[in-house]
Amino acid sequence: MKSFTYVAKDTAGKTLKGVIEAENGQEVLLKIHEQGWFCVSYNENLGSGRKSIYKFGTKELSFCCRQLAAMMTSGLTIVKALDILYKEQEKKGAMQCWLEIYENVQKGATFTEALQEKAGSFPDFFISMVGAGESSGTLDVVMNRLSEHYAKENKTNNKVKGAMTYPLILGIMCVVMVIGMFTLILPSFASMMPREEMPVLSRALMDFSDFLVAKWWILLIIVVIAIIVITYSLKVDSVRLKFDRFKLKCPGVGKLLGTIYTGRFARTLSSLYSSGIPMVECLERSSKVLGNKYIDLCFVQVIDEVKQGQPLSTSIQKTEIFESMFCSIIFVGEESGALDEILEKSADYYEEESDSAIGKLVGMMEPMMIIIMGGAIGLCLAGIFPLLYGNMTNI
């Protein structure tokens, strides 16, 4: 199957542009004619024999779900809704992705099957929810839930990015300040006293300053190698497992991360379970959304126990990941038979707690950066003052 870019006109004379898949030019003309349009021109996209992969962000997913929900609620079929949706996409990659989905559905595939072929573009959670919606005949309702879910997730991501701006600026300033002091300020004091007569701290700082000025590239190589080693080490399952466990057990930070994970888990489990997806699949999908290897490992045991008939609240309590109140809420939901409603209400509560935890977590970084900057300045001054004092006594 080849990809073609076309220019066409509709019955009103409006110019339409898009991308279409076909075996040859004749099929392109046929498909455009079937839409009731007149083809002006078309060109084959070279190297388009492979399927396009476009990664959708949370904001884009929220918008697309809201559009599909509105169209299906109005009575449009999924085929017509997808036809309209792909034409509204501004980015070429997104348009191509939705076009391929539209064509697969038009050929007889279900919406879920078409999404599974584009699994690299859409999250597993999204595909699972669509599958549940198609099975239960409530795809429009599920699309509304997905729109709200990704809108809230996008809001949380924006809060994290906004809160990280100030600590990031402080960190950059700290690095620039230290480099400036060691390369510009300290060398100007080197001639005030013979190197062998300097105090130990002053001599060490001067030696490091000389090294930084003359062989800065060695330090740069060390930093780059360290970043590469850390990045690839975290891709090793055993190392990532220990790191993720450390994050949850770390004093101060671990409790805040636990609150954030509880909020995300509650919302995801609520969305999946209320859509009619079996509890075992809900747990599998919900744990993977958190992106923590240690939690994934703990949930292997939870899923096994749930399969054997044990209550979900009891199994989750054993993991010691979530706080006791959340486990008690799940227990009440199981006993009352209203687990979906209680999960939805608890998700709202824990999302607010999660926002507060994110603020506290980022807020802890600001004083740490200030302390590091103060320590660096103090260290340099402690090395400079003896040189100044010694030069004054010689005068």
Side-chain angles (χ1 to χ4, degrees), residues 197-318:
E197 295 180 11
M198 290 182 181
V200 176
L201 178 60
S202 301
R203 193 185 312 134
L205 292 175
M206 289 297 175
D207 290 342
F208 181 72
S209 177
D210 293 341
F211 172 79
L212 195 60
V213 172
K215 298 181 179 180
W216 57 269
W217 52 272
I218 296 178
L219 189 61
L220 182 62
I221 292 174
I222 292 172
V223 171
V224 171
I225 291 174
I227 292 173
I228 293 173
V229 169
I230 292 171
T231 302
Y232 280 93
S233 296
L234 290 177
K235 291 181 180 180
V236 178
D237 289 342
S238 58
V239 177
R240 185 58 186 263
L241 179 64
K242 292 178 181 178
F243 178 70
D244 287 344
R245 185 179 185 278
F246 170 76
K247 288 192 297 184
L248 287 170
K249 303 297 181 181
C250 183
V253 176
K255 186 176 180 180
L256 294 175
L257 282 175
T259 304
I260 295 170
Y261 285 143
T262 303
R264 293 177 64 186
F265 177 79
R267 174 58 61 191
T268 307
L269 185 62
S270 168
S271 300
L272 290 167
Y273 188 70
S274 59
S275 299
I277 296 176
M279 179 55 75
V280 172
E281 186 177 348
C282 288
L283 293 173
E284 291 174 348
R285 300 293 186 190
S286 299
S287 63
K288 289 178 180 178
V289 165
L290 301 181
N292 187 295
K293 288 284 185 182
Y294 177 70
I295 294 178
D296 286 344
L297 182 63
C298 291
F299 264 82
V300 172
Q301 182 66 30
V302 171
I303 292 169
D304 288 341
E305 291 179 357
V306 170
K307 286 180 179 178
Q308 294 170 9
Q310 291 193 26
L312 175 61
S313 54
T314 305
S315 301
I316 288 183
Q317 182 79 52
K318 293 177 183 178

Side-chain angles (χ1 to χ4, degrees), residues 185-198:
I185 298 175
L186 276 177
S188 63
F189 292 92
S191 60
M192 287 186 171
M193 185 181 294
R195 188 67 60 94
E196 59 274 6
E197 295 180 11
M198 290 182 181

Side-chain angles (χ1 to χ4, degrees), residues 58-66 68-69 72 111 115 122-133 138-154 267-268 271-272 275 277:
T58 51
K59 185 177 181 180
E60 290 176 298
L61 287 171
S62 177
F63 172 76
C64 292
C65 291
R66 185 168 63 250
L68 286 173
M72 286 187 287
F111 188 23
L115 287 173
F122 299 94
D124 291 340
F125 169 75
F126 179 84
I127 298 173
S128 298
M129 289 284 286
V130 170
T138 57
L139 188 56
D140 55 340
V141 177
V142 168
M143 281 297 163
N144 266 319
R145 287 177 182 164
L146 282 170
S147 176
E148 294 174 3
H149 174 85
Y150 285 114
K152 289 178 180 179
E153 190 171 324
N154 183 61
R267 174 58 61 191
T268 307
S271 300
L272 290 167
S275 299
I277 296 176

